[in-house]
Amino acid sequence: MKRRFLHQFWQLFRGYWTSEEKWKGCGLLALVIAFNLGSVYFLVRINSWYNDFYNAIQQYAEGQFWPLIGEFTALAFLYIILAVYAIYLRQMLQIKWRTWLTNRFLARWTRGEVYYRLQILRSDTDNPDQRISEDINQFVTLALTLLFGLIKQLATLAAFSVVLWNLSGTFRVPVGSHAFVVCGYMFWFSLIYSMAGTGIAHLVGRKLIGLNFEQQRFEADFRFNMMRVRENAENIAFYRGEQVERVGFSERFAKVIGNFWQLMRQTKLLNFYVNGYGQIALIVPLILAAPQYFAGTMALGGLLQTVSAFGRVQDALSYFVSSYDTIAQLIAVIRRLVGFMDHMAEAEAHEEKIVWKEAGEALALEDVSVTLPDGRTLLAHVTFSLARGARLLITGASGCGKSTLLRLLAGIWPYGMGRVVRPAESRVLFLPQRPYLPLGSLRRALYYPLAASKTEARLKTALETVGLAALVPRLDVIDDWSRILSLGEQQRLAFARVLLVAPDFVFLDEATSALDEPREEELYALLRRELPAMGMVSVGHRSTLRAVHDEELMLEGEGKWKVCPIRS
């Protein structure tokens, strides 16, 4: 399991660095690494400056004071420039990597109706929007922060280990009549201390990984619940469901707070350890270097240079201790993204058993069976054809598969088997009970899913024909039209969309449920008059629909069905 997880993490990480944008990314990466290495070089120079400066202070060498202050100013200025641009270029790389990764996830999520299949296949794929928006951002930010931090600390370790080794001298350990000489003893002590510290930090903080994962999930669920209330505000108001919604908010928020308390307690333990570990590391080099200083073999400048070098080495070796909380967050984010990738792969890997063929002039189903995701059969061995200009009404009891059959005909329901024949290059439009109106102008909502390319006159005529002439002056007003328009107005707008798109076949799933019967009859007559060659398949329960269709496909339950003509 761990090997598979590491493999998927590597796939997630390496994609950008082997993509078409790899040279830009690698160039920025090289610059950031170079700037970090340059800043380490200046830290070494400043460390050496400590020796010269404090020795001059100890010797009251006033003539060396101001030149050394000037040297420090120059070193500090160059260090600041490198440090600032290292962060700036890292953020630039972060933007480019996040953009590339987000585009890839969005393309995969929206390709082949994966976003739709995830809803009907898995109920535990929570909040894909958060995974694409927030989790990718966190992954890129945390990964780059840890990567460049590690590179800088490795360079610091390599540079200052040599300095600390040379400054430490030797330490004699008497054992009986013999004495063992330890060279670079302060370096060895720092190494042992940091290795032990890293192991203990993992034992103390490992629970943070799971807690961070759960915290992100609970926060997303709480936010999604509030979004649902906003989207369904009118329905909730009609039901006077505020109290129930508050209970739902409280339950989800309680999970957020409960998990956060656990996160706080575990973080408190880790912070106790990390801060104690860091404070001990401050005093240890003074204790280790004190014998040489008091023996007169080390000057004040050497003492302070040794303490500074020990601190740099200690920080480098303790990188995983100080970064443990960040590492825990990164692992939690990776788990969420890998889980999302697994679910998308499962949706993509579903074996399509419906055979689609483009031929002839009619829409035909040949021995088609419709099933649910769990394998249960809704319809068995359905065979019928719909010629251009023909009108078919699908009827049956609720839950017998009417809407599901419509989804299969529209090409979005993947669970079934058989063969569907459709005329070559035919255009298909699906009208659900609640039309989808994208954010933006009313013009854009009308043309959806096409680009706005029709003439102004035809657009106005379409609105006037369906009884929405009052909306003509507001065509370019940008707003949330699904909130502004009533369901009946939205359904009439969908019929105007049919007139503009002029598909070869249209599928209507109770698309007139919010309209009165005279208006319903008028709109169906409008389609027959304006688009006589368009095939039509409708789902509905009203008996009045029979008068505007030629044939009826009756679904009788348990997979049974029959087609019969409608007598006028």
Side-chain angles (χ1 to χ4, degrees):
M1 187 68 180
K2 289 183 179 180
R3 184 175 179 181
R4 178 171 173 268
F5 174 77
L6 289 174
H7 172 72
Q8 289 181 319
F9 162 69
W10 177 242
Q11 292 298 317
L12 184 66
F13 182 84
R14 71 184 287 269
Y16 175 69
W17 307 103
T18 57
S19 71
E20 67 282 357
E21 297 185 18
K22 62 183 177 182
W23 297 117
K24 293 180 181 178
C26 289
L28 279 173
L29 179 67
L31 277 175
V32 178
I33 292 174
F35 278 32
N36 276 290
L37 295 180
S39 64
V40 171
Y41 167 76
F42 283 107
L43 286 175
V44 174
R45 289 289 304 274
I46 291 172
N47 177 263
S48 178
W49 176 88
Y50 279 129
N51 188 14
D52 298 335
F53 182 75
Y54 285 102
N55 283 340
I57 292 292
Q58 186 178 29
Q59 296 165 11
Y60 300 95
E62 185 178 357
Q64 299 179 31
F65 180 81
W66 292 110
L68 286 170
I69 289 295
E71 181 184 349
F72 175 80
T73 303
L75 292 173
F77 177 77
L78 292 172
Y79 173 78
I80 291 170
I81 294 296
L82 288 175
V84 168
Y85 272 94
I87 295 174
Y88 178 77
L89 292 174
R90 187 192 72 192
Q91 291 173 334
M92 186 184 298
L93 178 58
Q94 177 182 329
I95 290 173
K96 292 185 178 296
W97 189 7
R98 181 189 177 186
T99 300
W100 183 89
L101 199 56
T102 299
N103 288 337
R104 292 305 179 277
F105 266 79
L106 284 173
R108 188 174 179 185
W109 185 50
T110 56
R111 185 173 53 240
E113 294 92 31
V114 167
Y115 60 93
Y116 175 69
R117 295 188 182 189
L118 285 174
Q119 285 191 326
I120 60 178
L121 181 65
R122 301 190 67 95
S123 59
D124 58 341
T125 308
D126 61 302
N127 307 299
D129 53 318
Q130 187 216 18
R131 302 194 188 201
I132 294 174
S133 175
E134 294 185 20
D135 289 348
I136 288 178
N137 183 35
Q138 286 194 40
F139 169 74
V140 172
T141 302
L142 296 175
L144 287 178
T145 299
L146 290 171
L147 172 64
F148 290 127
L150 178 61
I151 291 172
K152 185 174 181 179
Q153 294 298 354
L154 287 174
T156 300
L157 178 63
F160 280 95
S161 292
V162 176
V163 175
L164 185 61
W165 184 284
N166 293 331
L167 291 173
S168 298
T170 59
F171 185 74
R172 299 177 66 84
V173 182
V175 179
S177 58
H178 300 281
F180 290 96
V181 177
V182 180
C183 297
Y185 68 95
M186 293 181 70
F187 170 78
W188 292 114
F189 180 86
S190 178
L191 180 62
I192 294 170
Y193 181 70
S194 60
M195 289 176 64
T198 300
I200 297 172
H202 177 64
L203 293 176
V204 174
R206 59 185 175 181
K207 290 184 179 180
L208 286 173
I209 298 172
L211 291 172
N212 274 299
F213 178 88
E214 292 299 316
Q215 189 67 26
Q216 292 172 13
R217 185 167 68 88
F218 292 146
E219 293 278 7
D221 287 343
F222 179 55
R223 185 172 59 252
F224 179 73
N225 193 41
M226 290 188 288
M227 184 179 71
R228 286 278 295 167
V229 170
R230 186 190 67 190
E231 291 178 344
N232 298 276
E234 185 177 60
N235 291 336
I236 294 170
F238 275 131
Y239 280 111
R240 298 291 191 269
E242 297 84 359
Q243 180 60 37
V244 176
E245 295 301 330
R246 281 197 294 271
V247 170
F249 289 153
S250 298
E251 290 174 349
R252 285 170 174 79
F253 190 63
K255 292 181 179 180
V256 171
I257 297 303
N259 191 80
F260 193 73
W261 273 110
Q262 296 183 58
L263 195 61
M264 284 171 55
R265 286 190 284 268
Q266 202 63 33
T267 303
K268 180 184 69 174
L269 293 176
L270 183 63
N271 285 337
F272 265 126
Y273 173 72
V274 170
N275 284 284
Y277 177 89
Q279 291 303 311
I280 292 173
L282 292 176
I283 197 67
V284 164
L286 289 171
I287 296 173
L288 293 177
Q292 294 186 62
Y293 177 75
F294 290 118
T297 59
M298 180 181 289
L300 177 62
L303 175 65
L304 294 176
Q305 184 185 12
T306 301
V307 171
S308 175
F310 184 91
R312 297 292 181 184
V313 172
Q314 186 59 41
D315 286 344
L317 290 171
S318 304
Y319 180 65
F320 289 104
V321 176
S322 58
S323 303
Y324 197 88
D325 184 55
T326 304
I327 295 171
Q329 292 180 45
L330 178 62
I331 293 175
V333 167
I334 291 170
R335 284 182 176 178
R336 286 180 59 81
L337 287 175
V338 167
F340 186 37
M341 290 170 63
D342 284 345
H343 295 166
M344 287 196 294
E346 185 175 348
E348 292 167 339
H350 175 76
E351 184 181 355
E352 183 68 67
K353 296 181 180 179
I354 297 290
V355 178
W356 290 85
K357 182 180 179 181
E358 293 189 348
E361 291 296 321
L363 175 67
L365 271 67
E366 299 177 357
D367 196 27
V368 170
S369 296
V370 183
T371 63
L372 294 173
D374 59 10
R376 286 182 296 159
T377 300
L378 284 177
L379 291 170
H381 311 295
V382 178
T383 299
F384 73 85
S385 64
L386 182 73
R388 291 180 184 270
R391 270 63 171 160
L392 175 71
L393 176 63
I394 301 177
T395 60
S398 296
C400 66
K402 300 187 298 297
S403 296
T404 306
L405 176 59
L406 225 59
R407 295 185 187 105
L408 185 140
L409 288 171
I412 65 172
W413 187 260
Y415 305 102
M417 60 186 67
R419 191 167 79 149
V420 179
V421 181
R422 200 161 68 185
E425 300 181 359
S426 59
R427 289 178 297 177
V428 174
L429 190 62
F430 184 86
L431 268 62
Q433 184 175 8
R434 179 173 289 276
Y436 173 66
L437 303 181
L439 295 176
S441 68
L442 182 61
R443 183 187 302 273
R444 181 184 176 193
L446 257 172
Y447 284 123
Y448 190 85
L450 302 179
S453 59
K454 303 294 182 182
T455 63
E456 194 80 8
R458 185 173 181 187
L459 179 62
K460 293 178 180 179
T461 301
L463 284 175
E464 292 169 355
T465 305
V466 298
L468 296 175
L471 295 178
V472 172
R474 306 174 67 187
L475 281 172
D476 294 308
V477 175
I478 297 175
D479 211 325
D480 183 2
W481 289 101
S482 61
R483 177 183 57 83
I484 294 173
L485 301 179
S486 68
L487 181 56
E489 289 174 320
Q490 293 179 44
Q491 290 183 345
R492 281 187 280 162
L493 194 72
F495 274 81
R497 185 183 290 167
V498 176
L499 295 177
L500 294 171
V501 174
D504 296 290
F505 294 93
V506 64
F507 303 94
L508 303 97
D509 188 3
E510 299 193 52
T512 55
S513 60
L515 302 175
D516 57 73
E517 293 180 0
R519 175 67 72 176
E520 176 186 72
E521 183 179 2
E522 179 184 327
L523 289 177
Y524 269 97
L526 172 67
L527 294 186
R528 182 183 290 272
R529 183 176 67 251
E530 297 294 329
L531 301 170
M534 180 183 69
M536 179 189 300
V537 179
S538 299
V539 168
H541 295 281
R542 289 179 178 174
S543 58
T544 52
L545 288 174
R546 294 173 54 85
V548 291
H549 291 82
D550 308 319
E551 288 186 305
E552 181 179 7
L553 172 60
M554 301 176 62
L555 308 186
E556 301 174 330
E558 298 182 356
K560 298 178 182 178
W561 57 275
K562 66 179 180 180
V563 177
C564 53
I566 297 177
R567 297 173 183 175
S568 57

